[in-house]
């Protein structure tokens, strides 16, 4: 007999062969990180099915991503899982070219044609079974129900699948906008396909006979269909697709023991204890009771009086995963409150809450209502609420109720961390987590579920842990491996729980707020958000900062409570909230359409509520709502796009032929130079248009790295477009240096901008069909440049002379200078107009390519809709001299950024928002430096991270928080 055991990241799979290599037992079960316990249950199950096996000799081996250390501990041979899969595929599916295997937290592609090549996911569990489980939980359905819903989808949304955290950030706004679960379910599956292609295939084409293995591909037919449609193949999901690693492991097993010996080893196994620990949260019960007594003093009274007659005030906080509601009486006591999951549909939860209140409190009058959070706009339109306010204001108002001298507020919710520094009674700085929820409540909840506990029980068992695991501050995926390792080293669940609570705090302090000293937080700290109901997290926070904080008894309701206070303070004569009669007749219809108002073709979700009330979600501008086109007069980004389109459309006497130029990366600002340069040489420049998501997908199969920034990934799609054209060559040179603007210590391009043409040459095989000019050139040295360009161009256009190139270079520089002159003149016009009309001015600072609508996702138009004027960093950077920095200032784009920040600090009506691309390593430096520069001038630093998927709902909250803080600051000036 042969036994193959596959211990994966979340499950154990077992295959038992008889002497004829026939399967006589197979099963899989989740192990909840208790590997030995789960395997022992499997062995007992085998004995139950085959009682005589205890006396049999058996060949046994272990495989799987979580199996190596365990196999060594119980002295069994280990078979590498990729090799096990290959053995099984060669045995049962001989003509296979590609194997795509998705597991619980692991994903791999095996290329079997022309030699074995393996691509595996590293630290990220995006696009795996764990990802599906997270998404199903968010939608409040099972994975099986998700699969059924996806069969009837009508549209596909863009959803990130590289990480559950990012995906939640995309899906939650869709739910808040009323998107159908059918469409979201299908979109999640298609996102997983794109993640597999971009993250694992990494430029190698998936073709031939493709086999699907692993749990997600076995159980979810719509995931298989999504792979088939995107890859344009019909993949094969064979019998026992779930067990191929275990099958291969059994076939490879060559060490024989009695089954009874194996049974005994597993039954008696005790994990050694040798993990790194940290101090306990509480010494004993007395220590804990003192802590509880101190925090119980921070209270808002809740009263039960259904005979209450008078005015009441409703506050709603529609968060990322929960809906919080509070109704206050005239004395600001809480009459009724609610804290519950939004279940993917906050509208009916709030509607039912209000309807119930009307019935139970017939003598109370809702005098005013306010809503905040992700679902603010939807709920305000649906239920005709009086006010919609930004979260920062709601939380600040609530915090001041508990401590009028509050100088720092930290709110940790399900997926969000919001921190506000308060100076002289005004929000002075805002910190929000960019995308990672490793310091948030969902971080703890996901681990509690993996370990088989409710979050409440999981938190309690960690309070008195003697040796909490020191897990440091790591993201969810990295933490998974740390916990598994700690368990192998003997860590018990209570010590893991305590360690995770400490990790949440460290992530919040050192990765979001990024403090270097606890004194930076202030002396009057108020903590809030549902996560701080967890006593373990609260204690860990106090221990880490070395001081006491205020935790209100309504910590999780603070957003709703603050909204209710705002409603009371700003009440009108009559509230517009729906009456009981209107709620009884309430209707909510949803329709998905594509806006035809511009080339963006935004995927809109139209929510109709009756009586003419409507809410449209998914729009990047106000046109679908107002039917008006936004004026671009005060938007320098739009002006720059118009200028670039003029260069694109410029026609010349193409006596020498045509050359293709991709409008990517540094080409956005060098286009004036190159079009004029080639025009002077009688060569027509064929330039690609602004990017689209479809363009990205066209080039996705040739992208070799999923960690590259989105602007770099888009280059592949632009090159694909140029390959379709009738061209003499494609021109995209390597450029180590930019033109020297004398604002920094040097004038480099970043490595991606400088050398990405090398990536294109190495990974896009179609480039061999056309001359590709990707030579290294130095435009910053005109004389050398002229000589070298003459040599380069003669390889394609052999009649070009040095004199012609010399004139062309001069024409290029003339137009380059003219381009920047136009930008600066227009920028100055916008600044003067904004100052004249007392409008806020936003310097939307980034890189030249951030003007691309696909890269910035319409953020410039969103800022414009908030009532601000927009200029770019390169329109004002010349107004500053070289800025003193704490880092080496050697990148041209960074030098402009620092100079622009310096200018902003001297202009009262001007603030800066920095656009940063995910995956940009050098921007980790600029973020801290720009924050320092702005803080010296008492300016608020705001950063927006963007990539192929962006959550404009979160961006809008961030922008509104900034504008609300600026407005509040003006009142106190």
């Amino acid at each position: 007999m042969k036994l193959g055991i596959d211990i994966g990241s979340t499950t154990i799979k077992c295959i038992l062969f008889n002497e004829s290599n026939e399967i006589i037992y197979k099963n899989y079960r989740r192990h909840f990180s208790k590997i030995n316990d789960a395997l022992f249950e499997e062995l007992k199950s085998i004995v139950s099915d085959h009682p005589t096996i205890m006396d049999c000799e058996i060949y046994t081996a272990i495989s799987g991503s979580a199996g190596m250390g365990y196999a060594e501990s119980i002295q069994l041979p280990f078979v590498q899982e990729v090799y096990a899969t290959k053995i099984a595929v060669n045995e049962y599916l001989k003509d296979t070219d590609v194997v795509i295997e998705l597991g619980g937290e692991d994903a791999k592609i095996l290329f079997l044609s022309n030699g074995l090549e393996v691509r595996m996911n590293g630290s990220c569990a995006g696009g795996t079974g764990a990802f599906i489980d997270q998404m199903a939980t968010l939608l409040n359905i099972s994975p099986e129900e998700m699969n059924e819903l996806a069969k009837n989808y009508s549209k596909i949304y863009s959803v990130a699948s590289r990480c559950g955290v990012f995906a939640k950030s995309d899906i939650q706004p869709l739910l808040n906008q009323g998107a159908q679960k059918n469409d979201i379910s299908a979109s999640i599956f298609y996102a997983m396909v794109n993640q597999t292609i971009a993250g694992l295939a990494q430029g190698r084409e998936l073709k031939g006979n493709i086999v699907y293995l692993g749990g997600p591909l076995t159980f979810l037919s719509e995931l298989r269909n999504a792979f088939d449609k995107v890859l344009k193949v019909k993949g094969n999901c064979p019998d026992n697709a779930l067990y191929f690693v275990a099958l291969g492991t059994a076939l490879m097993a060559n060490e024989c023991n009695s089954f009874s010996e194996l049974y005994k080893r597993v039954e008696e196994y005790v994990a050694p204890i040798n993990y790194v620990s940290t101090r306990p949260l509480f010494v004993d019960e007395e220590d804990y009771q003192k802590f509880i007594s101190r925090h119980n003093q921070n209270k808002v009274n809740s009263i039960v009086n259904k005979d209450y007659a008078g005015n009441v005030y409703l506050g709603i906080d529609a968060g990322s995963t929960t809906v919080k509601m509070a109704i206050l009486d005239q004395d600001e006591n809480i009459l009724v409150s609610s804290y519950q999951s939004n279940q993917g549909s906050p509208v009916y939860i709030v509607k039912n809450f209000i309807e119930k209140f009307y019935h139970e409190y017939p003598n109370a009058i809702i005098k005013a209502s306010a809503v905040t959070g992700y679902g603010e706009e939807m709920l305000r339109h649906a239920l005709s609420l009086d006010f919609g306010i930004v979260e920062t204001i709601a939380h600040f108002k609530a915090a001041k109720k508990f401590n009028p001298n509050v100088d720092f507020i930290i709110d940790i919710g399900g997926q969000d961390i919001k921190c506000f520094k308060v100076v002289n009674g005004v929000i002075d700085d805002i910190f929000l987590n960019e995308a990672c929820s490793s310091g948030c409540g969902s971080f703890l909840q996901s681990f509690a579920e993996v370990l088989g506990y409710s979050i409440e029980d999981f938190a309690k068992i960690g309070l008195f842990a003697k040796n909490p695991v020191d897990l440091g501050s790591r993201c969810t995926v990295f933490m998974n491996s740390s916990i598994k390792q700690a368990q192998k080293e003997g860590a018990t669940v209570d010590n893991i729980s305590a360690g995770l609570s400490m990790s949440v705090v460290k992530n919040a302090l050192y990765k979001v707020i990024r403090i270097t000293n606890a004194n930076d937080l202030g002396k009057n700290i108020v903590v809030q958000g549902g996560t701080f109901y967890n006593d373990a997290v609260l204690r860990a926070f106090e221990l880490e900062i070395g001081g006491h904080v205020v935790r209100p008894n309504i910590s999780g309701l603070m957003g709703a409570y603050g909204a209710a206070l705002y409603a009371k303070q700003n009440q009108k004569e009559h509230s517009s909230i729906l009456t009981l009669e209107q709620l009884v007749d309430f209707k909510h219809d949803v329709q998905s359409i594509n806006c035809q108002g511009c080339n963006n073709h935004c995927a809109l979700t139209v929510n109709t509520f009756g009586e003419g009330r409507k809410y449209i979600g998914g729009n990047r501008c106000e046109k679908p709502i107002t039917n008006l086109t936004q004026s671009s007069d005060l938007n320098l980004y739009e002006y720059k796009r118009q200028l670039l389109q003029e260069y694109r459309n410029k026609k010349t006497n193409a006596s020498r032929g045509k050359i293709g130029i991709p409008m990517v990366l540094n080409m956005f600002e060098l286009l004036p130079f190159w079009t004029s340069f080639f025009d002077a040489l009688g060569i027509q420049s064929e330039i690609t248009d602004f990017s689209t998501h479809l363009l990205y997908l066209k080039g996705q199969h040739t992208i070799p790295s999923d960690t590259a920034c989105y602007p770099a990934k888009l280059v592949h799609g632009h090159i694909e477009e140029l390959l379709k054209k009738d061209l003499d060559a494609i021109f995209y040179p390597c450029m180590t240096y930019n033109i020297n603007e004398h604002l920094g210590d040097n004038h480099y391009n970043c490595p991606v901008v400088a050398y990405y043409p090398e990536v294109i040459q190495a990974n896009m095989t179609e480039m061999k069909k056309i001359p590709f000019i990707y030579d290294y050139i130095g435009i910053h040295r005109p004389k050398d440049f002229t000589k070298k360009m003459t040599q380069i161009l003669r390889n394609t256009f052999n009649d070009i002379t040095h004199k012609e190139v010399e004139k062309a270079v001069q024409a290029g520089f003339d137009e380059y200078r003219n381009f920047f002159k136009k930008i600066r003149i227009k920028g100055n016009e916008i600044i003067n107009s904004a100052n004249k009309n007392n409008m806020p001015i936003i310097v939307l600072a980034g890189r030249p390519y951030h003007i691309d609508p696909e890269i910035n996702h319409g953020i410039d138009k969103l800022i414009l809709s908030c009532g601000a004027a927009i200029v770019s960093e390169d329109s004002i950077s010349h107004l500053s001299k070289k800025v003193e920095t704490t880092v080496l200032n050697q990148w041209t784009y960074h030098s402009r950024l620092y100079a622009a920040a310096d200018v902003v600090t001297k202009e009262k009506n001007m603030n800066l928002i920095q656009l940063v691309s995910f995956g940009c390593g050098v921007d980790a430096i600029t973020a801290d430096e720009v924050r320092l520069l702005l803080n010296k001038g008492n300016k608020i630093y705001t950063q927006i991270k963007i990539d192929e998927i962006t959550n404009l709902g979160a961006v809008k909250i961030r922008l509104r928080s900034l504008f609300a803080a600026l407005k509040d600051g003006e009142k106190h000036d």
Side-chain angles (χ1 to χ4, degrees):
M1 287 186 172
K2 290 187 173 184
L3 175 63
I5 303 166
D6 172 16
I7 304 176
S9 51
T10 59
T11 60
I12 286 183
K13 279 85 69 178
C14 289
I15 284 283
L16 182 63
F17 285 143
N18 63 15
E19 290 78 2
S20 303
N21 275 1
E22 298 170 331
I23 298 172
I24 58 173
Y25 176 89
K26 65 180 180 182
N27 191 41
Y28 84 101
R29 69 175 70 222
R30 286 183 178 263
H31 55 59
F32 298 107
S33 293
K34 299 174 183 177
I35 292 169
N36 193 75
D37 293 351
L39 179 56
F40 188 58
E41 290 301 316
E42 276 300 302
L43 296 181
K44 287 197 289 186
S45 180
I46 291 172
V47 172
S48 176
D49 286 3
H50 303 279
T52 60
I53 199 170
M54 274 292 195
D55 301 322
C56 295
E57 295 292 305
I58 188 165
Y59 291 90
T60 308
I62 289 177
S63 185
S65 58
M68 182 182 284
Y70 180 74
E72 187 178 342
S73 297
I74 62 169
Q75 299 176 314
L76 285 177
F78 178 80
V79 179
Q80 210 285 329
E81 60 185 299
V82 172
Y83 190 56
T85 303
K86 181 177 182 293
I87 292 296
V89 170
N90 287 345
E91 178 73 20
Y92 298 107
L93 303 164
K94 296 186 187 298
D95 296 325
T96 300
D97 295 301
V98 180
V99 174
I100 300 174
E101 183 178 1
L102 302 182
E105 291 175 7
D106 310 296
K108 64 180 78 72
I109 297 178
L110 278 67
F111 294 97
L112 301 178
S113 304
N114 304 316
L116 176 65
E117 185 179 356
V118 182
R119 307 282 175 86
M120 301 179 68
N121 66 329
S123 59
C124 184
T128 64
F131 172 80
I132 293 171
D133 288 344
Q134 286 180 343
M135 296 306 100
T137 300
L138 184 62
L139 294 174
N140 199 33
I141 54 178
S142 67
E144 293 74 23
E145 289 170 319
M146 226 171 96
N147 190 64
E148 288 303 309
L149 286 168
K151 291 178 180 178
N152 300 306
Y153 78 90
S154 59
K155 74 184 290 103
I156 298 295
Y157 294 100
S158 292
V159 173
S161 112
R162 63 189 174 283
C163 174
V165 177
F166 287 88
K168 286 178 183 177
S169 298
D170 296 323
I171 291 171
Q172 197 59 55
L174 291 173
L175 292 170
N176 292 337
Q177 293 161 14
Q180 299 295 293
K181 289 185 180 179
N182 305 61
D183 297 334
I184 294 174
S185 298
S187 300
I188 289 167
F189 292 146
Y190 275 89
M192 290 183 66
V193 175
N194 289 329
Q195 166 69 9
T196 303
I197 295 170
L200 294 182
Q202 294 182 340
R204 181 161 177 179
E205 196 171 354
L206 297 168
K207 60 183 181 180
N209 294 322
I210 296 179
V211 170
Y212 300 140
L213 300 179
L217 285 165
T218 299
F219 298 122
L220 303 172
S221 61
E222 292 312 295
L223 179 58
R224 297 197 300 272
N225 288 338
F227 268 101
D228 285 348
K229 287 178 182 177
V230 173
L231 297 176
K232 297 181 175 61
V233 299
K234 182 61 180 174
N236 172 28
C237 186
D239 293 338
N240 297 316
L242 192 64
Y243 297 99
F244 262 61
V245 174
L247 284 167
T249 305
L251 291 170
M252 290 296 297
N254 58 11
E255 187 173 303
C256 188
N257 289 290
S258 67
F259 189 88
S260 58
E261 170 63 22
L262 172 64
Y263 192 93
K264 183 180 178 184
R265 284 186 204 173
V266 175
E267 184 179 26
E268 295 177 354
Y269 175 77
V270 177
I273 299 176
N274 55 6
Y275 64 87
V276 178
S277 63
T278 186
R279 60 180 170 177
L281 295 173
F282 295 99
V283 176
D284 51 30
E285 180 69 31
E286 182 183 354
D287 191 22
Y288 177 58
Q289 289 304 324
K290 286 179 182 176
F291 167 86
I292 291 297
S293 177
R294 171 163 53 84
H295 282 290
N296 281 344
Q297 297 171 22
N298 307 308
K299 295 178 69 175
V300 163
N301 291 326
S302 294
I303 60 174
V304 179
N305 179 10
K306 294 189 177 181
D307 295 324
Y308 178 87
N311 295 334
V312 296
Y313 307 92
L314 168 65
I316 303 163
D317 180 4
S320 55
T321 57
T322 56
V323 179
K324 285 80 70 177
M325 294 160 280
I327 295 180
L328 313 186
D329 66 11
Q330 196 65 39
D331 298 321
E332 299 176 357
N333 299 308
I334 295 178
L335 276 178
V336 185
S337 66
S338 173
Y339 184 117
Q340 57 183 298
S341 166
N342 60 27
Q343 298 175 2
S345 180
V347 171
Y348 279 96
I349 290 172
V350 178
K351 178 249 181 191
N352 293 339
F353 174 83
I354 298 171
E355 198 172 345
K356 183 180 179 183
F357 178 80
Y358 278 139
H359 283 297
E360 294 184 351
Y361 289 79
N363 300 318
I365 300 166
I366 299 180
K367 190 71 167 55
S369 56
V371 59
T372 189
Y374 280 92
E376 174 203 325
E377 293 185 74
M378 168 88 114
L379 289 169
R380 189 161 53 84
H381 287 83
L383 302 167
S384 196
L385 303 175
D386 298 298
F387 305 103
I389 62 171
V390 70
E391 292 175 85
T392 46
I393 299 301
H395 287 284
F396 184 31
K397 284 195 172 295
K400 283 198 292 186
K401 178 76 175 176
F402 287 87
N403 186 343
N405 298 317
V406 60
D407 52 16
F408 196 87
I409 302 162
I410 177 167
D411 178 278
I412 303 182
Q415 287 174 228
D416 310 296
I417 300 177
K418 295 178 284 287
C419 309
F420 324 124
K421 184 173 276 189
V422 181
V423 177
N424 298 324
V426 178
I427 294 176
D428 182 66
D429 208 352
I430 301 166
F431 307 86
L432 303 169
N433 62 321
E434 295 301 333
C436 182
S437 71
S438 59
C440 304
S442 59
F443 176 79
L444 276 176
Q445 186 165 346
S446 62
F447 281 109
E449 290 169 357
V450 165
L451 296 169
Y453 289 85
S454 70
I455 183 61
E456 293 80 12
D457 291 341
F458 189 61
K460 286 176 184 175
I461 60 175
L463 292 173
F464 301 105
K466 298 298 183 186
N467 301 292
V469 183
D470 186 357
L471 295 166
S473 57
R474 313 186 78 194
C475 86
T476 308
V477 179
F478 285 103
M479 195 65 74
N480 261 324
S481 57
S482 296
I483 289 172
K484 286 173 188 169
Q485 185 60 36
Q487 284 182 309
K488 291 173 188 173
E489 293 172 348
T492 54
V493 175
D494 59 332
N495 287 310
I496 290 172
S497 170
L500 279 170
S501 295
M502 292 175 175
S503 179
V504 163
V505 167
K506 288 177 180 177
N507 275 306
L509 291 174
Y510 304 123
K511 291 194 172 175
V512 177
I513 312 172
R514 302 174 83 165
I515 64 167
T516 54
N517 189 315
N519 293 328
D520 294 345
L521 296 182
K523 296 180 180 178
N524 297 290
I525 301 170
V526 175
V527 301
Q528 50 196 55
T531 303
F532 277 112
Y533 279 136
N534 183 329
D535 288 336
V537 172
L538 178 62
R539 177 65 166 181
F541 188 87
E542 291 189 330
L543 289 175
E544 193 65 31
I545 67 169
H548 292 170
V549 300
V550 172
R551 176 188 64 180
N553 67 320
I554 56 165
S555 175
L557 290 172
M558 290 289 274
Y561 187 73
L565 291 175
Y566 182 93
K568 183 183 177 216
Q569 292 163 10
N570 294 273
Q571 62 185 289
K572 302 170 186 174
E573 189 173 347
H574 298 289
S575 174
S576 61
I577 191 170
L578 297 187
T579 63
L580 178 58
E581 293 76 17
Q582 289 173 308
L583 288 175
V584 171
D585 297 330
F586 182 83
K587 292 180 180 177
H588 181 193
D589 296 316
V590 181
Q591 182 184 9
S592 298
I593 63 171
N594 284 95
C595 179
Q596 303 302 316
C598 71
N599 291 332
N600 285 330
H601 299 301
C602 296
L604 304 180
T605 306
V606 181
N607 297 267
T608 308
F609 305 107
E611 299 179 348
R613 295 190 317 284
K614 184 185 288 187
Y615 169 64
I616 299 175
N619 50 301
R620 298 185 186 179
C621 68
E622 300 302 306
K623 189 172 183 181
I625 301 170
T626 63
N627 212 23
L628 297 172
T629 303
Q630 286 177 311
S631 170
S632 60
D633 290 346
L634 297 177
N635 184 355
L636 191 56
Y637 269 46
E638 184 60 35
Y639 177 74
K640 290 168 90 171
R641 286 191 287 264
Q642 291 168 5
L643 286 180
L644 291 181
Q645 286 291 21
E646 291 175 13
Y647 292 112
R648 279 193 68 248
N649 298 328
K650 186 179 179 182
K651 298 299 177 185
T652 188
N653 176 23
S655 57
R656 280 199 170 102
K658 294 180 181 178
I659 199 161
I661 301 176
M663 188 150 65
V664 297
L665 299 175
N666 54 337
M667 286 298 184
F668 276 89
E669 71 175 25
L670 292 178
L671 211 56
F673 179 93
W674 291 121
T675 53
S676 299
F677 174 82
F678 286 117
D679 184 30
L681 293 171
I683 300 171
Q684 175 66 51
S685 300
E686 290 286 340
I687 302 155
T688 54
D689 203 348
F690 293 114
S691 308
T692 64
H693 193 66
L694 183 60
L695 185 86
Y696 162 67
L697 293 175
K698 284 179 180 176
Q700 186 184 46
H701 66 284
T702 65
I703 300 170
S705 172
D706 192 39
T707 58
C709 63
Y710 189 45
K713 292 177 182 177
L714 284 168
V715 177
H716 296 258
H718 282 269
I719 297 295
E720 289 281 359
E721 282 294 295
L722 289 175
L723 287 168
K724 295 176 185 176
K725 297 179 182 289
D726 182 19
L727 301 169
D728 294 291
I730 292 176
F731 180 75
Y732 181 32
C734 295
M735 295 179 64
T736 301
Y737 289 93
N738 206 325
I739 295 170
N740 192 356
E741 298 176 357
H742 305 287
L743 290 172
D745 303 317
N746 216 319
H747 47 102
Y748 289 114
N749 283 313
C750 86
V752 171
V753 169
Y755 309 121
Y756 210 76
E758 291 276 17
V759 177
I760 296 300
Q761 171 64 17
N763 291 278
M764 296 188 71
T765 55
E766 294 292 306
M767 297 302 290
K768 296 174 183 175
K769 298 179 180 178
I770 187 171
F772 179 35
I773 302 172
Y774 69 106
D775 304 66
Y776 285 64
I777 62 172
I779 197 173
H780 63 298
R781 293 165 57 113
K783 287 186 179 179
D784 297 341
F785 168 67
T786 300
K787 183 179 178 181
K788 185 164 186 180
M789 275 305 294
T790 304
Q791 295 169 349
I792 291 168
L793 291 176
R794 278 179 180 166
N795 294 326
T796 306
F797 308 97
N798 54 25
D799 62 338
I800 281 178
T801 67
H802 182 275
K803 200 165 195 177
E804 285 179 303
V805 174
E806 195 172 38
K807 286 183 180 178
V809 170
Q810 188 58 51
F813 275 115
D814 287 345
E815 191 55 41
Y816 178 82
R817 285 188 284 267
N818 185 43
F819 174 69
F820 272 96
K821 183 179 178 181
K822 288 178 182 178
I823 288 170
R824 286 161 183 167
I825 290 172
K826 182 63 176 177
N828 193 51
E829 287 176 7
I830 291 173
I831 290 168
N832 289 338
S833 177
N835 283 329
K836 184 179 177 181
N837 294 289
N838 199 28
M839 290 176 65
I841 302 164
I842 294 297
V843 179
L844 192 55
R847 312 296 172 85
Y849 44 80
H850 280 136
I851 69 167
D852 190 325
E854 174 60 23
I855 293 174
N856 69 43
H857 299 286
I859 286 170
D860 57 315
K861 294 181 179 179
L862 202 57
I863 294 170
L864 203 64
S865 71
C866 292
I870 300 164
V871 295
S872 54
E873 78 290 340
D874 53 7
S875 69
I876 63 168
S877 57
H878 66 290
L879 301 175
S880 172
K881 294 180 180 179
K882 181 181 172 183
V883 178
E884 284 191 25
T885 59
T886 62
V887 295
L888 185 61
N889 184 3
Q890 62 178 347
W891 317 91
T892 296
Y893 299 157
H894 294 191
S895 301
R896 290 181 194 160
L897 185 60
Y898 301 146
D902 180 57
V903 173
V904 166
T905 60
K906 297 164 186 172
E907 297 291 332
K908 183 180 178 182
N909 202 30
M910 193 178 282
N911 285 274
L912 184 144
I913 294 175
Q914 184 182 357
L915 293 179
V916 174
S917 295
F918 282 108
C920 182
V922 288
D923 264 343
I925 301 166
T926 65
D928 289 339
E929 197 63 29
V930 173
R931 185 189 291 275
L932 278 173
L933 289 167
L934 292 176
N935 286 349
K936 286 178 184 175
N938 296 316
K939 296 284 185 174
I940 296 175
Y941 173 73
T942 302
Q943 182 191 94
I944 296 174
K945 279 194 173 180
I946 47 179
D947 70 345
E948 57 262 46
I949 310 290
T950 192
N951 172 10
L952 283 185
V955 171
K956 198 164 187 178
I957 288 172
R958 187 173 291 250
L959 293 175
R960 289 181 61 209
S961 297
L962 171 64
F963 289 121
L966 295 176
K967 193 173 181 180
D968 205 25
E970 287 172 8
K971 290 178 184 177
H972 289 76
D973 281 348

